[in-house]
Amino acid sequence: CTPPSLYQGLLSLPTWALLDDLIRMFFYQTESDSQQVPRNLRRLRPPTRRVKTIKPKMDLFSSPRAEALFGFNGSGRLELSFSAGEVIFLLRRVNRDWLEGTVRGVTGIFPQSFVKVIKPLPDDSDEEEAGGGRGGYSCLRCYLQENNETQLRDVCVEEDMSIQPSYKDLLKRMREVFNRDDISLNYRDPEGDLVRILDDLDVALMVEESKIQDGVKRPVNQYPWELHVTPTSDLSVYNNAP
């Protein structure tokens, strides 16, 4: 029930004020008025109708598809993650080096060097010319180790593998990938121990040691060395034994 004093205050307002939608919410003239919502509030309502998502039908024998030769863990929400051996249905070519596809109901883009195209897209003229070569990008495999858990990411950058990245650029990129600043960069030496990277000289040493110990089969675009990211304050990951 509205107090009489409130009615008196509203009645004393000028006519143009009583026509405002917000005032009429508290001072209804008719029953139909009490059921109306001001226009400015209606515009703020989110749509309630459900939008149907039509998923393309995938035929294992006739649809364009590729088999994953290596596992790929996307570093962004647009990138598709998959494991080696999975079949990826191809939707379109993004550019010379990247494809868009779907696997396990998830759609995203991925580097072609990680897969073997079984049935190409209809508009692909030549697989080798379109993206079978090395291309103008490289992929870096990196790990975030924290609390006995490990996150794996494959980060692709528009850099040639012959160019050695700087420590500053690597640190900046890892902070963006894992969305945190309190991290340190490391690599594994030939004995398997983590070594903290502090400057460009340490990066050069990591690159040289990877040439000696690398015997892992990997995509042609993937760096032979891997980054291990750890919280800066965590020193327990290092082997301090003499």
Side-chain angles (χ1 to χ4, degrees):
C1 181
T2 307
S5 59
L6 179 57
Y7 280 119
Q8 294 174 0
L10 291 172
L11 288 172
S12 64
L13 292 174
T15 305
W16 61 265
L18 293 175
L19 295 177
D20 186 83
D21 284 330
L22 294 176
I23 298 297
R24 290 175 65 192
M25 287 193 64
F26 299 96
F27 189 68
Y28 300 121
Q29 296 178 355
T30 66
E31 183 179 353
S32 61
D33 283 337
S34 66
Q35 298 173 355
Q36 294 185 15
V37 181
R39 296 188 192 90
N40 57 337
L41 293 184
R42 276 200 295 267
R43 287 198 297 268
L44 294 176
R45 285 184 177 181
T48 55
R49 289 187 302 172
R50 298 183 62 182
V51 179
K52 291 185 178 180
T53 301
I54 302 176
K55 296 184 178 180
K57 295 182 179 180
M58 299 301 177
D59 187 344
L60 185 60
F61 298 102
S62 62
S63 298
R65 61 195 184 279
E67 179 184 357
L69 298 177
F70 309 93
F72 180 75
N73 291 267
S75 60
R77 64 181 183 87
L78 298 179
E79 296 179 3
L80 182 68
S81 297
F82 48 80
S83 302
E86 286 193 288
V87 174
I88 305 165
F89 291 99
L90 305 179
L91 302 178
R92 68 183 179 98
R93 176 171 293 282
V94 179
N95 56 32
R96 180 177 182 272
D97 304 308
W98 289 74
L99 296 167
E100 183 179 33
T102 180
V103 63
R104 291 177 276 103
V106 181
T107 300
I109 63 174
F110 58 93
Q112 181 169 334
S113 60
F114 280 68
V115 304
K116 176 184 178 182
V117 176
I118 301 173
K119 183 177 177 59
L121 292 159
D123 54 351
D124 266 8
S125 57
D126 184 90
E127 181 183 340
E128 286 297 322
E129 181 181 349
R134 171 163 294 193
Y137 71 100
S138 303
C139 290
L140 167 63
R141 176 152 288 190
C142 52
Y143 304 84
L144 173 64
Q145 299 177 215
E146 184 179 21
N147 299 328
N148 296 322
E149 295 183 358
T150 302
Q151 295 184 39
L152 170 62
R153 294 287 188 277
D154 287 305
V155 182
C156 295
V157 294
E158 294 182 359
E159 295 287 349
D160 189 89
M161 289 182 60
S162 62
I163 300 176
Q164 178 180 302
S166 68
Y167 167 74
K168 181 179 179 181
D169 289 342
L170 285 176
L171 181 60
K172 179 182 178 181
R173 186 66 176 132
M174 291 302 100
R175 284 174 172 170
E176 293 172 350
V177 169
F178 295 108
N179 194 27
R180 55 186 302 174
D181 294 329
D182 59 329
I183 58 173
S184 293
L185 307 183
N186 310 269
Y187 72 94
R188 291 199 180 276
D189 63 12
E191 287 73 35
D193 296 326
L194 284 183
V195 178
R196 180 170 288 191
I197 302 172
L198 300 175
D199 52 33
D200 289 341
L201 292 177
D202 290 336
V203 175
L205 180 60
M206 173 185 65
V207 173
E208 288 301 315
E209 290 192 356
S210 69
K211 296 178 182 178
I212 301 173
Q213 59 180 328
D214 185 58
V216 179
K217 185 179 179 182
R218 63 180 78 247
V220 294
N221 300 71
Q222 193 174 65
Y223 286 104
W225 43 270
E226 300 175 341
L227 279 182
H228 295 263
V229 180
T230 57
T232 303
S233 59
D234 186 6
L235 303 179
S236 64
V237 296
Y238 303 107
N239 182 10
N240 298 319

